[in-house]
């Protein structure tokens, strides 16, 4: 049986979809929450409203973060808030820095906004913050550093407390803004939480987060914690873009929290995803030990894998679908390079799919 | 009793809010629709999804408009889709044309996108399309014409069929795009419907519309009917901005239509708003005849009023709140001028509030 015959009946393993699985969505609870909030507060949440979002949810988030509610901007997903921030804080031609690899959609937004992007290498053993500092010392003017410190997309890596502290110190010395994107932070399946960058300097850091990975991506509820001096400008830009976000969706999230579903739901997700992560790490160890290196995440959605540099041309020339796999092109997560990088999302796959997928990946890389 | 004493106990009449009234919102029906759609289709509508929006609602709209569903882009309100269109179709420095007065938020978006704006005067007796044509003949390069032909915001005026035809002919001769914004079109309380600009040239015109004025602004469901050659570019820009809009909200609207609520609800709105419009026109006739001119809308949300040019400095120097009124600054609807223009929204006011408001306006203008 040749490869093309195999591919005809093999259902491909989707290592492309960094999404929550269908079975994670709390459908019944959300149906009830939606019904309750619209009945109880319909004349408010169905109307035009202030741009910063549904006040009761702002207050819950503010309380959790120890800041005033006016510093919380609720939007329609956090990506769009980032787009607004890039336009409010920067001008075309300005230079920003990102971990490399980083979230591909953020690179797209930055390029679209006409920004120069400096990649700071992020390897399995950590962020190359020395290189970054050296460039700053040499006078390179960086206006903003975008980071996903917890269970990074696409690498799965957690920034150490030391790296976080050093980054904050650099931001103060060289006057750049840090945007901390934290959508995976609550999804830790083992190990100890690391202090957020926001908590290291809550007056200056912008934190973005979202309920997309914790409750539902379809509700499109993301938010920003903003420094006091940015609130007016960013809110006005948002109002000019979409008047106000959907309060209905904010209120559904609010009701989900108030009804007491949140804690149990996160525990349920953690238990489900922990098993899938373990299956991924075990399969990698069995199949690819010595041929690739990969991160050892304790949470989130992704394992990042670097193939042996000798194989990188080999990866690009292969058609993953012939091996029953769908893979994202690693180069999408890189400003330059990425031919040797593979992102492996595990949350939306059953453990047996993960095992089969990694077997196929091994077959592909070692044929 | 002096004016400042009056203002202390007068509840101001809000001639600022171009919004549906609280009593128009179909709260119970929407609560049921939300519950039904999430229970029945939660694993789809709560998930990430294709950017163009919830397919069943696209199909309904496409069927109504006689185009393929792929030409319907559902978004998060129509203002945001317009922002995306401005970025996809135009470059900073390009020139666009608008009716003057026009929707203030659109002027803001155009200025933000770095566009030059040519105002085409819209008076109570019609659009000065001769002036526009003359400029085109003289070689002025207009890339896009934005219009609200039905019950315009802020004037309430309906563009005649003759004007619509002439505009379409000009767009073909001089190669500019027409964006027809039609959120008020279904809200006609008397008289005969005029063919939409879209229906005059469905392959080339972009029509925007929304469920904000027909069902609920808070759901943020707007849409665009796009020419075939723009679909890919506009959809990609939208996906890069917000991944996908909230399918939950789209599906609630879909269910509202499928459950058969739409027709009765629009009839209910028409009956309620017709009485408020009549109260407005009657009060204007009684109080301001000979001192101002105003449009005679047969639908929509607004009456546009021009005060005698001799009074325009007078209008600007007055503090409406001293007379128990809240008024929008007319200049917001104009590229230049507008000192003599007042927008009078009537839908969110009770008939007695309208009568009192116009009495106060008369007192203010004739003191």
């Amino acid at each position: 049986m040749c490869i093309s015959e195999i591919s005809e009946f093999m259902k491909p393993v989707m290592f492309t979809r960094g999404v929550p699985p269908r079975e994670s969505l709390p459908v019944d609870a959300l149906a009830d929450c939606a019904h309750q909030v619209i009945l109880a507060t319909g004349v408010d949440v169905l109307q035009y409203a202030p741009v910063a979002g549904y006040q009761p949810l702002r207050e819950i988030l503010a309380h959790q973060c120890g800041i005033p509610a006016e510093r919380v901007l609720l939007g329609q997903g956090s990506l769009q808030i980032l787009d607004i921030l890039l336009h409010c804080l920067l001008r075309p031609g300005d230079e920003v820095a990102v971990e490399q690899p980083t979230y591909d959609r953020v690179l797209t937004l930055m390029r679209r906004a006409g920004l120069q992007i400096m990649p700071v290498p992020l390897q399995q053993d950590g962020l190359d913050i020395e290189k970054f500092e050296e460039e700053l010392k040499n006078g390179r003017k960086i206006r903003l550093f975008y980071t996903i410190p917890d269970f990074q997309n696409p690498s799965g890596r957690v920034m150490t407390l030391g790296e976080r502290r050093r980054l904050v110190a650099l931001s103060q010395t060289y006057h750049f803004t840090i945007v901390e994107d934290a959508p995976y932070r609550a999804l830790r399946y083992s190990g100890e939480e690391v202090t957020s960058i926001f908590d290291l300097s809550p007056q200056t850091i912008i934190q973005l987060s979202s309920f997309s990975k914790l409750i539902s991506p379809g509700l499109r509820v993301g938010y920003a914690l903003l420094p006091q001096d940015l609130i007016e400008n960013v809110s006005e830009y948002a109002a000019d873009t979409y008047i106000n976000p959907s309060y209905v969706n904010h209120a559904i999230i609010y009701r989900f929290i108030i009804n007491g579903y949140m804690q149990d739901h996160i525990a349920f997700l953690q238990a489900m995803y922990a098993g899938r992560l373990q299956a991924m790490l075990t399969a990698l160890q069995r199949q690819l030990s010595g041929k690739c290196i990969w991160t050892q995440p304790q949470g989130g959605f992704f394992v990042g894998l670097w193939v042996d540099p000798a194989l990188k041309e080999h990866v690009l020339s292969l058609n993953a679908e012939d091996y029953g796999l769908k893979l994202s092109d690693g180069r999408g997560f890189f400003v330059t390079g990425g031919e040797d990088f593979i992102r492996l999302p595990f949350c939306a796959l059953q453990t047996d799919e993960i095992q089969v997928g990694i077997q196929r990946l091994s077959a592909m890389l070692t044929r």
Side-chain angles (χ1 to χ4, degrees), chain A residues 160-329:
Chain A
T160 65
L161 184 58
E163 290 171 328
R164 293 175 195 224
R165 287 199 168 124
R166 197 156 161 199
L167 191 62
V168 170
L170 288 176
S171 79
Q172 288 161 353
T173 306
Y174 295 99
H175 308 293
F176 59 86
T177 303
I178 298 176
V179 176
E180 173 183 47
D181 200 355
Y184 311 103
R185 183 167 167 79
L187 294 173
R188 174 175 281 282
Y189 319 136
S190 64
E192 290 295 318
E193 190 173 277
V194 182
T195 305
S196 73
I197 300 181
F198 182 84
D199 282 341
L200 294 177
S201 181
Q203 304 306 319
T204 66
I205 306 300
I206 299 173
Q207 187 182 82
L208 298 177
S209 196
S210 162
F211 293 99
S212 291
K213 303 300 189 291
L214 300 183
I215 302 180
S216 151
L219 290 174
R220 313 305 302 126
V221 180
Y223 59 93
L225 313 180
L226 294 170
Q228 188 68 41
D229 61 348
L230 292 181
I231 292 164
E232 196 178 327
N233 189 8
V234 174
S235 300
E236 189 182 320
Y237 197 100
D240 287 343
T241 305
Y242 50 63
I243 307 177
N244 61 264
S246 168
Y247 274 32
V248 177
N249 302 34
H250 296 177
I252 292 171
I253 300 281
Y254 169 75
R255 179 59 66 170
F256 191 85
I257 296 171
I258 286 297
N259 283 2
Y261 296 134
M262 194 71 174
Q263 217 167 347
D264 286 354
H265 185 63
I266 290 180
F268 157 74
L269 295 180
Q270 286 168 329
M272 175 165 52
Y273 297 159
R276 296 175 187 200
L277 170 58
Q278 194 51 54
M280 174 66 84
L281 294 174
T282 304
L284 286 169
Q285 186 62 30
R286 278 201 197 127
Q287 303 287 336
L288 287 166
S289 192
K291 295 163 199 148
C292 302
I293 56 171
W294 55 88
T295 53
Q296 303 283 336
Q298 297 181 318
F301 271 55
F302 308 103
V303 172
L305 176 139
W306 285 262
V307 301
D308 189 288
L311 288 175
K312 77 180 187 185
E313 290 307 317
H314 189 65
V315 174
L316 286 174
S317 66
L318 290 171
N319 188 351
E321 294 196 28
D322 288 343
Y323 289 85
L325 290 175
K326 288 243 190 194
L327 298 177
S328 299
D329 187 331

Side-chain angles (χ1 to χ4, degrees), chain A residues 46-114:
Chain A
L46 295 170
Q47 185 58 282
Y48 289 114
V51 69
Y54 186 59
Q55 188 64 18
L57 183 55
R58 292 177 81 199
E59 283 169 10
I60 286 180
L61 294 170
H63 180 75
Q64 285 172 0
C65 306
I67 58 174
E70 60 166 352
R71 289 185 53 199
V72 180
L73 178 80
L74 291 164
Q76 308 190 118
S78 56
L79 187 72
Q80 186 166 186
I81 299 179
L82 178 64
D83 189 40
I84 290 171
L85 285 169
L86 296 180
H87 284 92
C88 287
L89 299 178
L90 305 168
R91 291 285 164 272
D94 282 351
E95 192 163 27
V96 296
V98 297
E99 296 152 333
Q100 173 156 285
T102 191
Y103 179 28
D104 48 357
R105 290 188 182 276
V106 168
L107 293 178
T108 303
L109 280 190
M110 289 176 165
R111 290 187 183 115
R112 192 173 83 176

